[in-house]
Amino acid sequence: MKNAVWTKAGIPLVIVLVAIVLAVVLVKSKQPPPTEPVETKAFLVDAEPVSRTAVTFTVSSQGNVIPNHRTNLSAQVSGKVVDISDNFVAGGMFDKGEVLVTLESDDYQTEISLAEAQLAQAQAALTEEMARGEVAKTEWQSVNSGIPPELGLRKPQLAREQANVKAAQARLERARRNLQRTEIRAPYNGLVVSRDIDIGQFVGLGSTVGTLYSTDIAEIRLPVADSDMAFIDLDQGIGRKHNVLLKARVNGMSQQWRASLVRSEGVLDEASRVSYLVARLPDPYQRNSEGGQPLLRFGQFVEAEITTGKQRDLFVLPRSVLRLDQTILTVNDDNEIQIKPVEVARTNASQVFIADGLENGERVVLSAVPNPYNGMQVRLPGDEPQPPEIDEDTPDETEQVKVGG
């Protein structure tokens, strides 16, 4: 009885012991998985070879449109205003030689009559003196055979009368000019900015009657920073037609005009430290043009792009490649980073123009590289291994296979 009980109790124990032994044997006999070294790939960068390019720079500026001539029109004689042209109002247009203001002329016509009378008297006196000289000469020759003296021939008196005639002629010419000056005429084609007189008003000699602007030519005074003057060739730029593009918004619409660079003022402004260039635009009010450029009024603020034709061979790169310390990352033949200090000629919002520090064909890194250093190993997109080609006869492992009919 005891043996039977022992036998029933020992069987599970034996089974457990056998299972433990088998588990230990299996664990001991299991081979460890193979270990492969972890491959650390070099940083992937995008790099392109660069070369110098002939670049023509455009220098930006701005300024106000001003007339070529601004005149405070004055009276050359005094008198009462008796007539004013209909065009002599603020904003009125006039032509060269047009009578703008007429002054009372009665007194000046009287001056002409007096001058004519004085001239007639002087001429009569001269004729009389010439006759007396001839009489004196005849009398001298009848008495003496020698050369008569000048006083005896009344030559000094003749010279005096000749001078009187010239003086009378000058007074007559002045009187006629003064009469002409009672009509105040426009000195050029232009527009009236302001009028300072009215009918019945007395104006004195030199009094201002109004302010005029010439409309034949408009000028734009363009400030240019000293750093930008290096890109403007004044020898080629000045005198060339249409090398300045003007832009402005007029009545809510963007408009453009073609102007020409005509001169440099030649002085560096002491306050702003800029130089001033002057561009000209003919006929800004389109008075003599048919279907040409849009009207450009004086006082309009315009933006200007100056193209001078001066070319430089530079490296043109994206603005993002230039680092804060004025260096650029390049990749050498061993695919190593090289940090190159460069000379920047100019930059704008999207591009940087490199004058020196790079070589033609050198590969410049175009992508961002965190914490670069000289000798840093990198890889390029072309260095990536190509995936193995798939045999067309080999079935796609992902393809579903139908089982059964």
Side-chain angles (χ1 to χ4, degrees):
M1 192 65 178
K2 290 182 179 180
N3 291 334
V5 173
W6 174 256
T7 301
K8 291 180 181 181
I11 290 175
L13 182 61
V14 172
I15 294 174
V16 171
L17 292 175
V18 172
I20 292 174
V21 172
L22 290 175
V24 171
V25 172
L26 290 175
V27 170
K28 293 292 186 181
S29 63
K30 184 179 180 180
Q31 295 293 329
T35 58
E36 296 182 0
V38 178
E39 180 182 359
T40 303
K41 294 184 178 181
F43 191 81
L44 179 64
V45 298
D46 183 16
E48 296 290 341
V50 296
S51 59
R52 291 184 180 271
T53 303
V55 180
T56 300
F57 284 107
T58 298
V59 177
S60 298
S61 186
Q62 63 285 318
N64 289 320
V65 180
I66 58 176
N68 186 33
H69 298 293
R70 290 175 285 188
T71 304
N72 291 325
L73 192 63
S74 301
Q76 293 182 279
V77 295
S78 60
K80 183 175 69 173
V81 178
V82 296
D83 186 45
I84 295 178
S85 170
D86 293 338
N87 294 330
F88 194 48
V89 291
M93 295 284 185
F94 54 83
D95 296 325
K96 182 178 181 180
E98 181 179 341
V99 178
L100 301 179
V101 181
T102 303
L103 303 180
E104 189 176 34
S105 61
D106 294 345
D107 291 341
Y108 298 98
Q109 290 175 345
T110 301
E111 290 293 333
I112 290 179
S113 299
L114 290 174
E116 288 175 343
Q118 291 175 353
L119 176 60
Q121 291 177 353
Q123 289 175 338
L126 176 61
T127 302
E128 182 179 353
E129 190 58 45
M130 292 174 64
R132 289 178 178 176
E134 290 296 328
V135 171
K137 181 179 180 181
T138 302
E139 291 179 351
W140 176 270
Q141 290 177 349
S142 64
V143 176
N144 299 291
S145 59
I147 299 176
E150 291 186 356
L151 184 60
L153 296 178
R154 301 184 64 85
K155 286 188 177 181
Q157 293 86 341
L158 180 62
R160 181 187 62 198
E161 297 303 332
Q162 289 174 337
N164 289 338
V165 170
K166 289 183 178 180
Q169 289 174 339
R171 285 191 292 269
L172 177 59
E173 292 176 359
R174 182 176 60 187
R176 287 172 176 170
R177 286 197 302 268
N178 287 338
L179 178 61
Q180 292 176 350
R181 290 167 180 170
T182 59
E183 293 182 341
I184 302 177
R185 297 178 179 271
Y188 42 67
N189 300 325
L191 64 86
V192 180
V193 178
S194 64
R195 191 183 80 187
D196 302 329
I197 60 169
D198 212 332
I199 293 291
Q201 181 178 344
F202 182 87
V203 296
L205 177 64
S207 299
T208 300
V209 299
T211 302
L212 312 179
Y213 282 179
S214 168
T215 57
D216 290 335
I217 296 175
E219 290 192 345
I220 303 92
R221 191 167 178 252
L222 303 172
V224 179
D226 188 60
S227 57
D228 287 335
M229 286 296 294
F231 305 107
I232 296 180
D233 189 344
L234 295 179
D235 293 336
Q236 295 185 14
I238 292 179
R240 288 184 59 189
K241 290 186 176 180
H242 303 159
N243 56 2
V244 179
L245 177 63
L246 305 178
K247 299 179 180 180
R249 292 190 65 84
V250 180
N251 298 328
M253 299 179 59
S254 296
Q255 302 285 3
Q256 294 184 355
W257 300 265
R258 283 288 180 179
S260 302
L261 199 65
V262 294
R263 69 178 185 276
S264 168
E265 293 188 355
V267 178
L268 188 66
D269 188 87
E270 296 180 358
S272 59
R273 311 306 300 171
V274 298
S275 300
Y276 283 92
L277 304 180
V278 178
R280 279 187 174 181
L281 178 72
D283 197 14
Y285 281 79
Q286 298 298 296
R287 300 184 63 185
N288 302 316
S289 303
E290 296 181 0
Q293 301 183 109
L295 182 144
L296 180 59
R297 295 173 296 179
F298 296 134
Q300 176 73 53
F301 180 82
V302 295
E303 296 180 353
E305 295 180 358
I306 306 171
T307 305
T308 62
K310 185 175 183 179
Q311 291 186 343
R312 294 183 64 181
D313 291 332
L314 302 172
F315 295 98
V316 184
L317 302 174
R319 179 67 177 83
S320 58
V321 305
L322 181 66
R323 308 173 73 210
L324 294 178
D325 58 354
Q326 302 291 291
T327 60
I328 283 180
L329 302 181
T330 62
V331 179
N332 61 17
D333 295 337
D334 297 327
N335 284 2
E336 295 177 343
I337 288 289
Q338 297 292 318
I339 302 177
K340 293 288 189 73
V342 294
E343 178 184 342
V344 178
R346 195 181 183 196
T347 61
N348 57 31
S350 60
Q351 294 176 315
V352 58
F353 302 89
I354 306 300
D356 200 8
L358 298 176
E359 299 293 336
N360 282 326
E362 196 165 11
R363 294 181 295 181
V364 172
V365 177
L366 303 180
S367 56
V369 180
N371 303 320
Y373 56 87
N374 281 318
M376 176 180 176
Q377 195 71 34
V378 296
R379 57 193 172 94
L380 303 177
D383 299 335
E384 291 293 304
Q386 299 295 327
E389 296 183 359
I390 299 176
D391 190 353
E392 295 181 356
D393 297 333
T394 303
D396 191 349
E397 294 181 356
T398 63
E399 183 179 354
Q400 296 182 356
V401 180
K402 293 184 179 180
V403 179

